[in-house]
Amino acid sequence: MTSPSVRIAVVDDHILFRKGLHALVSGFPSMEVIFEAGDGEELLAHLDHGKVPDVILMDLQMPNLDGLQTTRLLRSQFPHVRVIIISMHDEPELIESLRAEGAHGYLLKNADPEEVHAAILTVIRKAEAHTAIPAL
């Protein structure tokens, strides 16, 4: 019997980064990318059409609806979806602010593939353990 797949969405306005992250995550065992989006508005459109992932890997800075604004909306509209913000910024105040707004994890864009895999597994495990807001 195979374990169920973790359904993932990749959201980033830079196509090359988004495609690379998609390829990386698709290679992890028991994980599948169900869609990509270029910004928060496109992500929400997918969700409104019933394509709801378990985890969203999302860029912080995007046009139209950025990662912070989108995380706020997700917290109220889709509270069971886990959000991992991906950014090149590593200021502690920013990370704490994202956590307060509902992000479940934070990765730097130069993270090792193992860190990406571990972050996804961590937010899923914490969700399964019914932890309200997992530590970043």
Side-chain angles (χ1 to χ4, degrees):
M1 183 166 105
T2 61
S3 60
S5 290
V6 176
R7 297 163 34 101
I8 298 172
V10 177
V11 185
D12 196 295
D13 58 321
H14 293 96
I15 296 169
L16 187 59
F17 183 83
R18 187 172 70 229
K19 295 289 182 191
L21 191 55
H22 182 149
L24 174 70
V25 171
S26 293
F28 295 152
S30 300
M31 294 187 190
E32 66 173 320
V33 176
I34 61 169
F35 67 84
E36 297 176 16
D39 61 35
E41 287 180 357
E42 189 178 345
L43 166 68
L44 293 173
H46 282 286
L47 298 177
D48 287 343
H49 287 98
K51 293 176 89 176
V52 181
D54 302 307
V55 177
I56 298 171
L57 299 173
M58 183 165 45
D59 187 15
L60 180 60
Q61 295 179 307
M62 299 179 292
N64 302 320
L65 196 57
D66 68 23
L68 179 58
Q69 295 165 320
T70 305
T71 298
R72 286 177 185 144
L73 292 170
L74 290 169
R75 183 177 64 188
S76 64
Q77 297 175 10
F78 297 91
H80 61 285
V81 175
R82 308 330 256 173
V83 176
I84 299 173
I85 296 292
I86 301 177
S87 177
M88 62 184 170
H89 303 287
D90 64 351
E91 297 83 21
E93 302 83 19
L94 172 64
I95 296 169
E96 189 55 39
S97 170
L98 290 165
R99 180 183 191 188
E101 293 296 341
H104 302 94
Y106 189 86
L107 287 167
L108 290 174
K109 284 197 170 184
N110 65 354
D112 290 326
E114 296 80 20
E115 289 177 81
V116 176
H117 188 231
I120 295 167
L121 292 176
T122 298
V123 299
I124 288 298
R125 283 188 195 120
K126 288 184 178 184
E128 290 170 350
H130 304 289
T131 303
I133 298 178
L136 293 175

